[in-house]
Amino acid sequence: VADARRALDVAGATCDVVASGGIVTPQDARAFLDLGAVAVQVGSALLHDPTTAARLRLVSEDSLAD
């Protein structure tokens, strides 16, 4: 994510980076957001634990409060 964000910045691109893959825990989501992603995509994690979306939502609400 950080490499993609830097490359886009150097190129003068004005698009957002959305992280995908390996996002299972709120800590994973926070790490990707801290690296410059504007959003995270979860898929398989929802199949393994249906509460993933609710837990990730709490992280996003906490980060908005910061």
Side-chain angles (χ1 to χ4, degrees), residues 27-49:
Q27 293 78 14
D28 296 334
R30 176 81 268 150
F32 281 109
L33 293 170
D34 287 346
L35 288 171
V38 297
V40 296
Q41 175 184 337
V42 293
S44 300
L46 295 172
L47 297 174
H48 297 287
D49 180 0

Side-chain angles (χ1 to χ4, degrees), residues 24-27 29 40 42 45-46 49-62:
V24 178
T25 67
Q27 293 78 14
V40 296
V42 293
L46 295 172
D49 180 0
T51 67
T52 299
R55 290 183 296 112
L56 293 175
R57 181 173 175 218
L58 292 175
V59 168
S60 66
E61 289 174 355
D62 287 346

Side-chain angles (χ1 to χ4, degrees), residues 3-36:
D3 290 342
R5 178 74 269 152
R6 271 192 300 277
L8 290 167
D9 290 344
V10 167
T14 57
C15 59
D16 295 326
V17 175
V18 177
S20 177
I23 301 161
V24 178
T25 67
Q27 293 78 14
D28 296 334
R30 176 81 268 150
F32 281 109
L33 293 170
D34 287 346
L35 288 171

